[in-house]
Structures are given as C-alpha cells and as structure tokens.
Amino acid sequence: MELSESITHKNGRQRKVTCASDPPENMRDLLRRDTSSSDPDVEEEAEDLIQGSDSEERRYHRVRPGIRGELGNVLLLLFLYVLQGIPLGLAGSIPLILQSRNVSYKDQAFFSFVFWPFSLKLLWAPLVDALYFSRFGRRKSWLVPTQYLLGLFMLCLSVTVNSLLQNEARPNVVTLTAVFFMLAFLAATQDIAVDGWALTMLSRENVGYASTCNSVGQTAGYFLGNVLFLALESADFCNKYLRIEPKDTGIVTLSDFLFFWGIVFLVSTTLVAIFKGENEPRKGKRRVQEETQGVMETYKLLFSIIKMPTVFTFCFLLLTAKVGFSAADAVTGLKLVEAGVPKEQLALLAVPMVPLQILLPVVISKYTAGPRPLDVFYKAFPFRLLIGLGYALLVWWTPSVKQEGGFPVYYYAIVLLSYALHQVALYSMYVACMAFHAKVSDPLIGGTYMTLLNTVTNLGGNWPSTVALWMVDPLTYKECQGAPGQSCGSVEEAGLCVKEDGVCVTTLDGYYVESVVCVVIGLAWWVWLGKKMRRLQEQSPAAWRCRVEQ
C-alpha cells in the first residue's frame, strides 16, 4: 500500500512523494526523468544529485568567492547560536544546584523534562516554516518575538529565582521546571528559525559555514551558561582562584547572570529587528532557495516516512538503544555531587574535553564513511556499557577518597580519564548514527527525513534518562538508626528521623541497582536488537526512499 502526498517545490509545481515498502524504480532514472522539465532550477538540482559530491567540489573550486564579503552574516549566525546555548547551559546547571540542596531524585526526574523540547521540536517546526509575515521576514517573524520572550523570561526569573531555589524547606521544583521548560521551548523555536535563516542568509557557496556556526556557537553558549556560570557562582572557586580576600558568595549569582543575559537578548534582538533584513541583495553570489511546504503537507509527509517498514523499525531501535546507558549518563554526576565533589569542579572537567570532542568526530568519521557505518555503533556499544559499570565503581569509591581539604589531584585525574573514555564510546556511536542517517535519508525531500531521524535519536536518550532519575528513590532503601519507630522512606519521614535524634543510613543505593539492571538490559539489546540494527544496512537504498512523481 502506498502513501502519496504532494509537496510544493521551489518552482511552484506540485510533485508527489510516495513512501512505499515496495522498491521504487532506479533513482538515477527517476532523477533523469525529472530533468525533462525545462525549469533550469530543477535541472540543476537533479544534476547535482546525480553527479554527487565530485561535481559539487569542482563547481566550488570554479567559483571560490570566500567568506570575506559575508563575514558579517557568519558572525551574526555565530552570535545567534551562542545566545541559543545560554538558556540550555543554565538549564544544565540547575540539577547540580538542586542536588546541593538535597532534593529527591524524583524531583530531578521531573526537572529533566526541561531538556525534552529540543527532542520534540519537529512537532512544531512545520508551523515555524510555513506561518510568517512576509513583509517582516519569514525567519524574523519567529526569531524576533522568540528572543524577546527569552529576554523577558530571564529578567522575570532573575527577580524570583532565589525564592524558587530557597522556598521554605526545599526548592520549588515544579515552578522551576515550568519556567526552564519555557526557556528551552523558546530556545528550540529560535533554533528552528535560525537554522532556516542560515540557508538564505549565506550564499550558496558559503552555506556550509552554517553548520560550523551551529556547533561552535551552541557549544560556546552552553559553556558560558554552564561551566563559566558554575565557576563564578561558587564561593570556594572564586576565593581559591580569583580573589585575594575571601567572601561568602561567588562573583556572580544566578539572579545577576539571568539579568545580564536578559538585557543582552533584548538589546541584540532590537538591533537585529531594525538593522538586519532577510532578503538583502548579493553581488555575484547565488542565493540558496528554500523549499516552501504547507503545514499539513509536511505533517503528512512525516507520517508517511514513519510508516515505511525500514524507518519504523529503525526508529524503534533508536528509541530503545540508550536504555542501557541511562543510569550512567543521567545519575552519575548527581551522585558525585551528593558524595561531596564540588559541582563547579565537575563542570570544569568539561574544559579539557573540548579538544577531544573536536577531534573525535574527525577521527571516527574515517571509519563510518563506508557502506556500513552502524558496525562502529555496534562495536562501541558494549564498551560504553562497561564504562557505565566503571562509573558505578567510581561513585562507590568517592567517599573513601575525600579528605578535609577536598579531593586529591589523582582523584580528578581518574574522573577525567573515565569521562574521556566515555566520550570516545559516546562519539563513536553518535557519529556512526549520524553517518547512517545521512546515508539513508532521501535527498529528494529536503531535510525533513534526516531531521526526523535526528529527533528520534535525541528522544531515545531523553526518556530513559528521565525514567532512570525517577527510579533511583524507589530502588533505594534507608533505615533510621538511633530513633526507634521512625523510617526514612520519604523526605518528610527523614526529617522526623533527624528530629528524633536519629540518622538516616542508606542500606541499598538505588543507583547501583539501576547500574546493574541497565547493563543487563543493554547487553540483551546488543545481543538481539543490535544485530537487527546492523542488518538494516543490508537493505537496498530503495527501501529507504520515497518516489517523486510529476
């Protein structure tokens, strides 16, 4: 049974996209039949697909205009992506702050929903692409109000965040989650708008720089909102490294940080709205034309793609593959903070990882460039599971290493080594997965196909992390020693135990239970479903592609 949906291409004609389980006709013949049209844009597009990267490389060398004339646009894109990373970095720092205030792991699980919008943005991306005010600009119609809202949210939060974090006995996690969820939702919407604007802001010859701006800008923004903020917010770090006379607080507070970036968002957005036009003329450079699709057509296309047997199976595997890593990825850092490791020191360990994170994709891509990129995914899988067990041993060992002045240097060296090994396994799987997405995504339907697969991949990491955090407390067993008749089953019961001069002692930590269970589940997935994922590479290209009909 075939599902056919019409898509409006840039030349205004309607073509049918048919996603079917039956093998479509040869792609080269299909493309050449498409070029029978007299439309030069369609001919050029199809010819690019037929001739591949070699012809594109020759064409690039023939033009080679450089980016000097568009340096301003590149810097603007970079700045917009940096702004996007700020709220994400702040959201990533809140769990560490909450952990130092002894919130429950169920509260941490609830707050983890903050990180879901970037995994679900495909649900509203068609709206951002299709609905806009043409006189103001297709992308500015969403970018400007979204960034204004981000700035206003940050200014309002700067006034109330201290009361939310110090609300009576414990932080107001529900309100914090709601506010930071909105920040993440707005940042994800801004990401959709900026990604789309990048295609037309840069000329066709320089549009490849957009991905560089994305990765560098988001990383820099996250670093500012997470690592830099946690370091400057820590009184211990500032007194030790940045001050002559010690004080009780850090150089900046969360309220100050939010206020500063709220002002930056408002000012920069106003400048972009006034001075930056979307459709500025170019001298000697070809603009990249965007495909315009209706909202319903895009949603129907997504549904059609998902219903393809190979895609449906692959999405199921992506949604379940990371269950085995969930305890290690989501809970380990919080357990180290609980054991007394300063949160700012953990954040700073990300700094020496930056060169490794830059080099790893380059090195790994050499092994994923062939016809079977998922072989790398499959081989790295058990090593990442073993690293998860190593994390559990690290958490168990941490209390015995703690000294009066903190932790020795060799402890941080071991933590850094563990983190580096984890990054190698993580990036091996990530790059392999992205390479396979690029390999099977049908080039005839734009970025919709690959965006769908990337979204499912992200969601496959978020939901197991939320469940892992949620299950730590139910799997943990504590008893109240020194106060007969009292228990420590909840935060309230633990408070009563302390009031009765008792002490809550953990007899079984749910984190260790989860670590073992997750590794067992991961191994079972690797043995049975992992082989099924590898076999997907043996499917013909026709099994992944949609037919385009005139």
Side-chain angles (χ1 to χ4, degrees):
M1 181 176 179
E2 297 183 348
L3 297 169
S4 301
E5 308 301 341
S6 63
I7 296 180
T8 305
H9 278 238
K10 61 188 178 185
N11 58 0
R13 293 179 301 149
Q14 297 289 323
R15 297 185 184 178
K16 286 205 169 189
V17 172
T18 306
C19 301
S21 57
D22 298 330
E25 55 192 287
N26 183 274
M27 185 61 65
R28 181 176 292 270
D29 294 339
L30 174 65
L31 286 169
R32 285 180 173 162
R33 192 176 65 249
D34 256 2
T35 60
S36 61
S37 166
S38 61
D39 191 321
D41 287 338
V42 179
E43 291 180 7
E44 183 177 357
E45 176 185 337
E47 193 64 28
D48 286 347
L49 290 171
I50 294 172
Q51 293 180 1
S53 60
D54 291 340
S55 63
E56 182 65 32
E57 185 68 18
R58 288 195 298 271
R59 192 163 53 253
Y60 171 79
H61 283 295
R62 213 165 41 235
V63 179
R64 193 180 285 277
I67 64 167
R68 183 174 299 178
E70 294 188 301
L71 186 59
N73 288 339
V74 171
L75 293 177
L76 175 59
L77 275 179
L78 182 64
F79 178 71
L80 292 175
Y81 282 119
V82 169
L83 290 183
Q84 184 186 123
I86 297 295
L88 301 180
L90 283 171
S93 68
I94 295 299
L96 298 178
I97 295 175
L98 293 177
Q99 194 67 13
S100 64
R101 286 167 169 76
N102 299 317
V103 301
S104 68
Y105 281 92
K106 284 188 177 180
D107 288 335
Q108 292 281 14
F110 190 76
F111 187 83
S112 70
F113 283 108
V114 165
F115 306 105
W116 283 51
F118 267 80
S119 298
L120 300 173
K121 65 181 181 180
L122 189 63
L123 296 178
W124 66 92
L127 297 175
V128 178
D129 282 333
L131 304 179
Y132 56 91
F133 298 103
S134 57
R135 297 185 66 180
F136 189 56
R138 181 177 182 180
R139 304 305 174 183
K140 286 174 64 177
S141 295
W142 288 90
L143 178 74
V144 171
T146 297
Q147 291 199 167
Y148 270 134
L149 286 174
L150 277 166
L152 292 174
F153 259 94
M154 287 185 172
L155 290 179
C156 294
L157 189 58
S158 69
V159 177
T160 60
V161 69
N162 289 333
S163 61
L164 293 176
L165 287 172
Q166 301 168 0
N167 183 42
E168 298 177 357
R170 61 186 187 134
N172 190 335
V173 176
V174 174
T175 305
L176 280 171
T177 303
V179 173
F180 276 94
F181 184 90
M182 281 304 303
L183 284 175
F185 173 80
L186 291 171
T189 305
Q190 189 251 28
D191 180 52
I192 298 168
V194 176
D195 285 348
W197 197 2
L199 296 177
T200 54
M201 185 184 295
L202 300 179
S203 64
R204 183 171 183 175
E205 292 76 23
N206 293 323
V207 73
Y209 288 100
S211 60
T212 304
C213 293
N214 186 317
S215 58
V216 174
Q218 277 193 5
T219 302
Y222 192 92
F223 179 87
L224 292 173
N226 187 275
V227 178
L228 183 65
F229 163 69
L230 287 173
L232 297 181
E233 186 262 351
S234 169
D236 292 337
F237 180 86
C238 293
N239 291 337
K240 187 175 181 180
Y241 298 106
L242 303 177
R243 285 183 176 141
I244 298 176
E245 296 183 3
K247 295 183 180 180
D248 295 332
T249 59
I251 293 177
V252 299
T253 64
L254 180 56
S255 178
D256 297 334
F257 200 80
L258 285 165
F259 182 82
F260 171 80
W261 284 106
I263 295 296
V264 171
F265 266 91
L266 294 180
V267 172
S268 60
T269 304
T270 301
L271 294 175
V272 170
I274 296 174
F275 297 107
K276 181 62 180 175
E278 276 199 40
N279 300 314
E280 297 175 340
R282 290 180 174 82
K283 294 181 180 180
K285 292 185 172 68
R286 295 175 294 171
R287 290 181 53 193
V288 177
Q289 298 292 331
E290 289 186 277
E291 291 186 1
T292 303
Q293 302 177 13
V295 177
M296 292 308 300
E297 286 77 9
T298 303
Y299 283 122
K300 290 177 181 177
L301 174 60
L302 289 172
F303 184 68
S304 300
I305 295 171
I306 293 174
K307 289 190 68 175
M308 295 170 63
T310 49
V311 176
F312 185 84
T313 301
F314 188 50
C315 286
F316 171 77
L317 294 173
L318 290 175
L319 287 172
T320 55
K322 297 180 183 177
V323 173
F325 317 126
S326 56
D329 293 354
V331 189
T332 300
L334 301 178
K335 278 294 178 182
L336 290 177
V337 173
E338 183 182 321
V341 181
K343 59 183 183 296
E344 64 276 6
Q345 295 290 351
L346 280 180
L348 286 170
L349 289 178
V351 177
M353 288 293 102
V354 172
L356 182 65
Q357 291 169 342
I358 294 173
L359 292 174
L360 277 176
V362 177
V363 175
I364 296 168
S365 62
K366 296 179 181 179
Y367 300 94
T368 59
R372 301 182 62 85
L374 290 182
D375 287 352
V376 175
F377 181 99
Y378 183 80
K379 292 175 182 177
F381 198 98
F383 289 101
R384 190 171 170 186
L385 289 175
L386 291 176
I387 292 169
L389 288 179
Y391 273 1
L393 290 174
L394 179 66
V395 172
W396 173 80
W397 179 58
T398 296
S400 63
V401 184
K402 188 176 181 181
Q403 302 172 352
E404 290 185 5
F407 290 86
V409 175
Y410 70 83
Y411 171 79
Y412 288 113
I414 292 175
V415 173
L416 186 62
L417 177 61
S418 302
Y419 187 35
L421 292 174
H422 178 263
Q423 291 295 294
V424 172
L426 185 151
Y427 270 85
S428 296
M429 296 177 62
Y430 173 77
V431 173
C433 216
M434 293 302 104
F436 188 70
H437 292 178
K439 177 176 178 289
V440 301
S441 293
D442 191 338
L444 298 182
I445 53 176
T448 304
Y449 203 121
M450 192 164 180
T451 302
L452 170 65
L453 296 180
N454 292 345
T455 299
V456 174
T457 301
N458 292 335
L459 186 60
N462 279 339
W463 79 261
S465 296
T466 298
V467 173
L469 288 166
W470 198 278
M471 292 302 297
V472 172
D473 285 338
L475 294 174
T476 298
Y477 293 92
K478 297 181 180 180
E479 63 180 25
C480 182
Q481 296 181 355
Q486 299 295 330
S487 63
C488 299
S490 65
V491 175
E492 292 76 14
E493 291 175 344
L496 290 175
C497 174
V498 174
K499 285 183 179 180
E500 296 293 329
D501 297 326
V503 178
C504 285
V505 178
T506 301
T507 56
L508 179 63
D509 195 324
Y511 168 68
Y512 302 121
V513 177
E514 272 194 8
S515 296
V516 174
V517 171
C518 284
V519 168
V520 171
I521 293 174
L523 286 174
W525 190 98
W526 183 63
V527 170
W528 286 290
L529 297 181
K531 293 179 180 179
K532 188 175 185 66
M533 178 176 272
R534 290 183 75 184
R535 286 197 295 270
L536 286 177
Q537 299 175 117
E538 300 168 4
Q539 295 285 338
S540 66
W544 300 91
R545 287 179 177 169
C546 299
R547 286 205 299 271
V548 177
E549 301 172 358
Q550 294 286 353

